[in-house]
């Protein structure tokens, strides 16, 4: 009978419990939609509540900043499985991608109103949701490939091996001729 020990050794094929592995692209995308969509829905309820104490534009800005910070934390820890909280640089990069997505949806709505002077509500919703979906996919790609990469410098950048420089071989004859 073998004595039981407090810690077991893991076989090479079993996953390590201490270091989280990054989820695959499909799992990351589902997590991205759930986290971002969930925070978006909560934010849509929070803005009117906060707007009771301050102007609507200020309440919207406050909730947008807070939700972007929260989403970045969730994306780092849960969506992309980095295993650590994001630093300021990742927060800024994530905010930049959110601002770009916001610009895409605004541009789509602006173009719609240039093309049709008085579009119907259904048309506006269709254009907004399509632009929002495309911007969300773009934001997911930016976050996955550039912001939350797991220690890589870039998605397509291969590291070159560092080779040691050859050392000159000193023989007794070479030392004798120089002295």
């Amino acid at each position: 009978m073998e004595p039981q020990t407090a810690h077991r050794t893991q076989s090479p094929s079993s996953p390590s419990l201490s270091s989280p592995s990054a989820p695959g692209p499909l799992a990351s995308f589902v997590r991205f939609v759930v986290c971002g969509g969930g925070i978006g829905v909560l934010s849509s309820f929070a803005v009117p509540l906060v707007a009771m104490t301050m102007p609507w534009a200020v309440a919207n800005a406050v909730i947008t900043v807070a939700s972007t910070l929260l989403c970045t934390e969730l994306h780092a820890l849960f969506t992309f499985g980095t295993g650590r909280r994001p630093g300021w640089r990742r927060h800024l990069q994530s905010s930049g991608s959110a601002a770009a997505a916001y610009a895409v949806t605004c541009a789509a709505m602006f173009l719609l109103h240039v093309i049709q002077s008085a579009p119907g509500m259904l048309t506006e919703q269709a254009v907004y949701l399509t632009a929002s979906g495309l911007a969300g996919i773009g934001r997911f790609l930016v976050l996955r490939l550039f912001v939350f990469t797991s220690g890589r410098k870039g998605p397509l950048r291969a590291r070159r091996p560092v080779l040691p420089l050859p050392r000159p071989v000193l023989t007794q004859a070479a030392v004798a001729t120089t002295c």
Side-chain angles (χ1 to χ4, degrees):
M1 188 162 148
E2 221 175 292
Q4 293 182 348
T5 58
H7 53 329
R8 297 180 182 177
T9 57
Q10 295 179 341
S11 67
S13 62
S14 67
S16 172
L17 298 176
S18 62
S19 65
S21 62
L26 183 60
S28 290
F29 185 72
V30 169
R31 291 175 180 188
F32 178 81
V33 170
V34 169
C35 287
I39 298 299
V41 168
L42 291 175
S43 296
S44 70
F45 289 115
V47 171
L49 293 174
V50 175
M52 292 191 305
T53 62
M54 61 184 69
W56 190 91
V58 175
N60 189 29
V62 167
I63 296 300
T64 299
V65 168
S67 66
T68 302
L69 290 171
L70 178 59
C71 277
T72 301
E73 293 284 335
L74 289 174
H75 291 326
L77 297 172
F78 179 68
T79 302
F80 300 109
T82 62
R84 61 181 190 272
R85 294 184 62 196
W88 284 108
R89 192 187 93 179
R90 284 187 171 168
H91 272 292
L92 289 173
Q93 290 171 330
S94 179
S95 297
S97 71
Y102 174 77
V104 166
T105 56
C106 287
M109 295 307 289
F110 176 75
L111 286 173
L112 172 64
H113 286 274
V114 166
I115 294 169
Q116 288 185 348
S117 60
M121 189 184 338
L122 187 60
T123 304
E124 284 183 330
Q125 274 300 95
V127 168
Y128 177 77
L129 290 175
T130 301
S132 183
L134 292 173
I137 291 169
R139 185 162 186 252
F140 169 78
L141 292 172
V142 166
L143 293 177
R144 179 163 174 87
L145 297 175
F146 299 105
V147 177
F148 294 110
T149 56
S150 56
R152 295 177 291 169
K153 295 189 185 222
L156 302 175
R157 196 174 191 184
R159 290 187 64 183
R160 292 184 183 170
V162 178
L163 300 175
L165 293 174
R167 296 180 137 199
V169 178
L170 295 178
T171 61
Q172 212 173 27
V175 173
T177 58
T178 57
C179 295

